[in-house]
């Protein structure tokens, strides 16, 4: 008898259930950490406690998150996914790229500023450790570049930006500027994160529009 | 009897000797790693072997470098220090900021491209681990921002750049763009690192010169 392949419906259901479990774990962990204070709570909370709070077995916990750090990373990915959905919605509204990016930056800034700085520092540290040696499959750096690349590509297609530098290249640059601003904020920079992010995006756009033609490379 | 304070001359001599020892250790480590291949050589080489090659005791080795990773970090700091010296020399020549930065970028690119990609990856990983939780005293990110801030401040004082954004802010932005380009290169990006760095610096300058006046923040 050939092995039965799950149909697309069943597979979707499994995916959905898995996503709900992951969210329950993340929520349980964040609740416990916040209760105990992020400064020491992350280290003091055990996998068992998080699993119990989420109403699942320890085995299920480890199936989804090999290390506690992976929960922190998941919150980062969620922020990136929300940014991507925001970007798509903004693009559908046919606003100028400057407005779209300003909104996107404000959204990211507001979301990050809600998280305690110490938790953001831990999240960035968790991300950094894996970052250089093992790039995650869906792109490093929280995946903001997917949202940004969509915005820049749309702007280039509709004449809102010159075709060079490439959208992907601009997206990578903006990602590093954004991640760096988030890091400075997490290290107690007193500046308003939304303002910093908006100015950086504006500077990048102004740069892309006014980049002088490249001189031939020195021989 | 009061404790004797070393005079400034003696103190300078001690500093110089200490610096020579550090350099000898770094050189010994790089030689051994290169001999054995960076891919596995860094892990396989012991502190004893590096100390022996440098002609010092193991105790002296550990006095200067608590972990092998710190040797990798030291090479990063050296690159930053050279960039700072390059920047000062370029500035003394009274060239336009665009040329100064292009030269600086080419210098950094050439220096990094001489190092095997795997060694640069290890260096970045070593830096990342300490980076977010424990900022080094003399500034994170290899300290490139000191060189860049000097260049931007000089340009602002001599009318080559508008006064906003602040030189330090521009320097931080350029540092993240540069570090990110180095990281992409280390992860096997085929693009010419010098070209990428020069274009990023040019884009930042164009952005700083054409940044629209900030709109009032949304209430």
């Amino acid at each position: 008898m050939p092995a039965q392949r799950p149909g697309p419906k069943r597979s979707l259901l499994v995916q959905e259930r898995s996503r709900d479990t992951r969210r329950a774990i993340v929520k349980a962990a964040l609740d416990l950490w916040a209760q105990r204070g992020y400064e020491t709570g992350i280290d003091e909370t055990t996998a068992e406690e998080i699993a119990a709070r989420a109403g699942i077995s320890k085995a299920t916990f480890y199936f989804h998150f090999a290390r506690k750090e992976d929960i922190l990373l998941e919150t980062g990915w969620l922020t990136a996914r929300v940014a991507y959905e925001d970007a798509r919605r903004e693009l559908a509204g046919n606003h100028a790229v400057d407005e779209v990016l300003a909104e996107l930056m404000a959204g990211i800034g507001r979301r990050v500023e809600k998280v305690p700085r110490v938790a953001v520092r831990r999240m960035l540290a968790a991300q950094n450790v894996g970052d250089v040696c093992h790039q995650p499959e869906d792109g490093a750096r929280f995946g903001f570049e997917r949202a940004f690349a969509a915005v820049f590509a749309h702007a280039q297609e509709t004449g809102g930006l010159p075709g060079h530098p490439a959208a992907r290249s601009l997206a990578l640059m903006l990602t590093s500027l954004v991640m760096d601003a988030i890091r400075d904020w997490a290290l107690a920079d007193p500046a308003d994160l939304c303002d910093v992010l908006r100015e950086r995006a504006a500077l990048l756009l102004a740069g892309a529009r006014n980049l002088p033609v490249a001189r031939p490379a020195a021989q």
Side-chain angles (χ1 to χ4, degrees), chain A residues 1 5 35 42 45 51 53 67 71 87 107 121 140 147 161-162 184 190 193 198 205 207 210 213:
Chain A
M1 204 175 84
R5 279 182 56 199
Q35 247 175 43
I42 298 177
T45 307
R53 173 91 168 210
R67 308 165 311 146
I71 301 177
R121 284 202 296 275
L161 267 184
D184 286 344
L193 182 58
R198 268 195 298 251
L205 283 177
N210 296 283
V213 178

Side-chain angles (χ1 to χ4, degrees), chain A residues 23-157:
Chain A
R23 287 199 176 159
I25 295 173
V26 170
K27 192 181 175 315
L30 293 177
D31 286 352
L32 288 170
W33 294 342
Q35 247 175 43
R36 296 168 187 188
Y38 280 92
E39 198 70 62
T40 56
I42 298 177
D43 292 318
E44 284 169 5
T45 307
T46 64
E48 282 89 344
E49 288 172 313
I50 297 171
R53 173 91 168 210
I56 55 160
S57 71
K58 201 174 142 190
T60 305
F61 175 91
Y62 281 118
F63 175 76
H64 288 285
F65 296 100
R67 308 165 311 146
K68 257 190 283 178
E69 260 64 30
D70 294 335
I71 301 177
L72 286 165
L73 289 180
E74 181 87 358
T75 62
W77 294 113
L78 281 173
T79 309
R81 201 179 315 145
V82 171
Y84 183 66
E85 282 154 19
D86 286 354
R88 283 174 54 121
R89 202 175 40 246
E90 287 285 332
L91 288 178
N94 254 337
H95 305 294
V97 59
D98 308 68
E99 280 176 59
V100 172
L101 272 187
E103 276 305 309
L104 205 51
M105 294 297 117
I108 292 171
R110 278 193 301 267
R111 215 157 277 121
V112 172
E113 282 184 331
K114 268 193 239 156
V115 183
R117 290 179 202 242
V118 57
V120 175
R121 284 202 296 275
R122 288 289 296 256
M123 192 189 309
L124 293 172
Q127 187 204 22
N128 274 340
V129 172
D131 197 24
V132 174
C133 298
H134 320 278
Q135 253 194 326
E137 302 124 53
D138 32 3
R141 290 160 251 172
F142 292 134
F144 280 139
E145 60 266 43
R146 197 165 63 120
F148 300 160
V151 175
F152 289 125
H154 183 266
Q156 289 182 331
E157 281 157 21

Side-chain angles (χ1 to χ4, degrees), chain A residues 159-175:
Chain A
L161 267 184
H164 180 84
R168 186 176 166 271
S169 177
L170 291 171
L172 289 174
M173 282 189 247
L174 185 54
T175 303

